[in-house]
Amino acid sequence: MTDNKPNTLPYALRDKKQVKPDESFCFACHSKIPCFTDCCADINIFLTPLDVLRLSRRVGLSTDSFLDRHTLMPITKDLHLPVVLLRMSDNEKKTCPFVGEDGCTVYDSRPWSCRMYPLGMAIPPARAGETPKPLYFLFQDSFCRGHAEKQTWTVESYRNNQKVPEQEEIESGYTEIVSHPWFIGGRQLDPKRIEMFHMACYNLDKFRQFVFESSFLDRFDLEPEIIEKMRTDDTALLQFAFRWLRFALFAEPTLVARNPASTKTRREP
């Protein structure tokens, strides 16, 4: 049975209505409703690896520069992995840096959480031998007039309309990492592995340098076609990063080392 007790959920979801994938709700967002873009200010927008990649490419920055200019990385004892927050503008309303008078200026590259709104999602804590199923919640913020619109959705139809499953498919390796059974019992990564996780997931340009400008390719037996694809294909490189992290963080056999004795990866008991 999935553990969905309130105290196991992210704080932002603990008082929200849980909805089933086939449950319907009303919602629409467009420029004619009075609250248009009100939700794009003074808010915590967590960025996924693909969010960082897409936004950095959209605004013409390297991932390193984008992270430095547009994100924050909160540090709390409750997090077992680093997270990245979009930095709000330094103005009175603390608006999103990518919102304009006509709405989102990076709409096609908008973050996962923006695509999902007014839905929220949580992945329950990992259990040995069980793949956790996501839980869905409905945000019913008082300022939002979109719930009074007549457009009816189910969780599934809304997610499909917002192209959320396409993003989640690309990031399936990331989901497997953050919900990995290794973390059962409150295990924590050491600082070195936290740094590895941050680089591979969020700073893809730095990870590409790590792969192609170090001894990395000499140390691992990789498929030639994968190597060539990663040189220019950001999505392929990101998905490989998730594959490498399972090897580096959890000592899983997702990669083959040419000389296993020289590849230092701690094997946890």
Side-chain angles (χ1 to χ4, degrees):
M1 180 180 295
T2 301
D3 183 358
N4 60 351
K5 296 179 181 179
N7 61 358
T8 67
L9 297 172
Y11 180 80
L13 298 176
R14 291 180 186 179
D15 62 345
K16 301 301 183 291
K17 176 186 176 182
Q18 187 172 341
V19 290
K20 298 177 181 179
D22 59 351
E23 191 170 344
S24 62
F25 62 94
C26 292
F27 181 76
C29 182
H30 51 81
S31 60
K32 294 182 180 180
I33 58 177
C35 62
F36 186 58
T37 73
D38 282 359
C39 58
C40 305
D42 197 15
I43 186 173
N44 290 331
I45 298 179
F46 290 89
L47 300 180
T48 72
L50 191 58
D51 290 339
V52 172
L53 175 61
R54 285 175 169 172
L55 286 170
S56 65
R57 297 301 185 250
R58 178 63 179 265
V59 299
L61 294 173
S62 67
T63 51
D64 195 33
S65 296
F66 179 86
L67 289 167
D68 183 61
R69 186 178 304 181
H70 289 297
T71 71
L72 301 169
M73 194 174 80
I75 303 295
T76 74
K77 63 180 181 179
D78 298 326
L79 295 172
H80 62 259
L81 287 171
V83 296
V84 171
L85 282 172
L86 183 64
R87 187 195 300 267
M88 296 291 106
S89 298
D90 187 18
N91 55 30
E92 183 178 356
K93 291 186 176 181
K94 298 180 181 179
T95 54
C96 171
F98 305 120
V99 67
E101 292 183 2
D102 298 323
C104 181
T105 62
V106 292
Y107 189 76
D108 291 342
S109 303
R110 66 195 183 281
W112 176 90
S113 58
C114 299
R115 293 174 185 270
M116 282 285 288
Y117 190 84
L119 295 174
M121 187 184 83
I123 299 177
R127 292 176 179 271
E130 177 182 324
T131 301
K133 295 182 179 180
L135 306 173
Y136 298 103
F137 301 81
L138 186 64
F139 288 90
Q140 295 176 302
D141 299 296
S142 58
F143 66 79
C144 181
R145 306 293 181 85
H147 295 283
E149 298 290 297
K150 296 181 179 180
Q151 177 69 56
T152 301
W153 308 92
T154 63
V155 172
E156 183 178 11
S157 67
Y158 188 76
R159 281 165 45 82
N160 287 335
N161 178 268
Q162 298 296 304
K163 299 182 179 180
V164 172
E166 296 176 21
Q167 176 167 352
E168 292 177 346
E169 176 63 26
I170 294 173
E171 293 185 306
S172 60
Y174 171 73
T175 303
E176 290 170 355
I177 292 171
V178 299
S179 61
H180 199 280
W182 189 90
F183 294 107
I184 293 176
R187 287 170 120 183
Q188 299 283 328
L189 295 176
D190 58 54
K192 179 180 178 181
R193 282 165 176 73
I194 288 177
E195 184 178 348
M196 290 162 53
F197 175 89
H198 183 269
M199 174 187 67
C201 286
Y202 301 114
N203 199 342
L204 198 67
D205 290 325
K206 186 175 180 179
F207 181 69
R208 180 174 273 118
Q209 292 178 337
F210 171 67
V211 171
F212 290 103
E213 298 179 19
S214 72
S215 61
F216 186 93
L217 295 179
D218 295 327
R219 293 186 289 120
F220 293 99
D221 187 12
L222 302 181
E223 306 89 329
E225 61 274 16
I226 294 294
I227 295 174
E228 289 309 308
K229 194 171 185 180
M230 290 192 300
R231 292 184 188 277
T232 57
D233 188 325
D234 286 336
T235 299
L237 181 63
L238 184 62
Q239 291 178 314
F240 175 78
F242 302 146
R243 174 182 165 189
W244 173 72
L245 281 174
R246 294 188 67 139
F247 176 90
L249 302 183
F250 312 126
E252 293 188 2
T254 53
L255 294 179
V256 177
R258 295 185 188 276
N259 183 2
S262 67
T263 304
K264 299 179 181 179
T265 303
R266 182 178 66 185
R267 292 183 178 273
E268 298 290 344

